[in-house]
Amino acid sequence: MVLHFIHDEKTGERFFKYINENFNIDEHYFILVGSKVCPQNINIPEGTKSIFVSKKNFLLKLLRILHVMSKADIIIVHYLPLVELYFFMTIGKKYLNKIRWIMFGGDIYETGYNEFQNNLLKSFFNKINGVCYLIEEDYEYIVRKYNVKPNKY
């Protein structure tokens, strides 16, 4: 099973449509992350296996999230704010070797990280299964900045 961590954003609907049209939806599971208690910006197609997680209900759903992570063959992270980075490096660290991070510019060019956060991100790169990217320069940037060389997908 492929587990996707995505955010409650309008672009998610196109992603669901893409998965439904090109893959067996039964082989995919989605953890949607948002700030509200229920999805605000995205319509989840009926029959889609998913969990919606917010700051308010995270602890209530933690065991279910960890169970799904344990069953996943691959975990694809579509966006990685600090709060999720902390989650993966602490509670979810057992599953780091399953993670493939789809990097986008905003994820890797963050300038406000302190030394601890930069070291945490470097450790994350060294422990995950690999990264996916659209622009070769993004990969080259993380290699230079963090002195890492994660697998490329």
Side-chain angles (χ1 to χ4, degrees), residues 3-58:
L3 172 61
H4 301 268
F5 275 83
I6 64 174
H7 280 255
D8 181 21
E9 297 176 358
K10 206 63 174 158
T11 55
E13 285 185 37
R14 289 192 308 248
F15 182 68
F16 281 127
K17 183 178 179 187
Y18 173 79
I19 295 293
N20 274 314
E21 291 175 355
N22 295 286
F23 299 95
N24 180 352
I25 192 68
D26 293 331
E27 296 173 3
H28 293 261
Y29 202 108
F30 302 88
I31 295 180
L32 290 93
V33 181
S35 58
K36 306 288 184 201
V37 176
C38 60
Q40 299 293 310
N41 301 312
I42 190 168
N43 291 318
I44 303 168
E46 193 171 317
T48 301
K49 294 181 279 188
S50 64
I51 302 171
F52 184 78
V53 181
S54 71
K55 294 174 190 171
K56 293 181 180 180
N57 70 11
F58 174 76

Side-chain angles (χ1 to χ4, degrees), residues 5-143:
F5 275 83
I6 64 174
H7 280 255
D8 181 21
E9 297 176 358
K10 206 63 174 158
T11 55
E13 285 185 37
R14 289 192 308 248
F15 182 68
F16 281 127
K17 183 178 179 187
Y18 173 79
I19 295 293
N20 274 314
E21 291 175 355
N22 295 286
F23 299 95
N24 180 352
I25 192 68
D26 293 331
E27 296 173 3
H28 293 261
Y29 202 108
F30 302 88
I31 295 180
L32 290 93
V33 181
S35 58
K36 306 288 184 201
V37 176
C38 60
Q40 299 293 310
N41 301 312
I42 190 168
N43 291 318
I44 303 168
E46 193 171 317
T48 301
K49 294 181 279 188
S50 64
I51 302 171
F52 184 78
V53 181
S54 71
K55 294 174 190 171
K56 293 181 180 180
N57 70 11
F58 174 76
L59 289 177
L60 294 173
K61 297 191 177 186
L62 181 58
L63 290 178
R64 188 165 168 211
I65 293 167
L66 292 173
H67 175 74
V68 174
M69 289 176 75
S70 74
K71 299 293 183 196
D73 299 307
I74 299 169
I75 300 170
I76 299 177
V77 177
H78 293 267
Y79 173 64
L80 189 68
L82 276 176
V83 68
E84 286 180 32
L85 176 60
Y86 292 144
F87 167 75
F88 289 127
M89 293 300 289
T90 56
I91 298 168
K93 68 182 175 185
K94 181 177 179 180
Y95 308 109
L96 286 170
N97 63 333
K98 297 181 179 188
I99 293 177
R100 295 181 186 171
W101 179 19
I102 300 179
M103 299 185 312
F104 294 102
D107 290 342
I108 60 171
Y109 294 106
E110 172 62 51
T111 57
Y113 288 174
N114 61 37
E115 185 178 352
F116 171 77
Q117 293 162 334
N118 279 322
N119 287 335
L120 192 64
L121 194 53
K122 179 179 180 173
S123 179
F124 182 75
F125 280 123
N126 283 322
K127 293 178 180 176
I128 63 174
N129 183 272
V131 296
C132 307
Y133 52 90
L134 299 173
I135 303 169
E136 182 69 30
E137 288 80 8
D138 287 350
Y139 182 80
E140 293 167 3
Y141 174 80
I142 65 158
V143 168

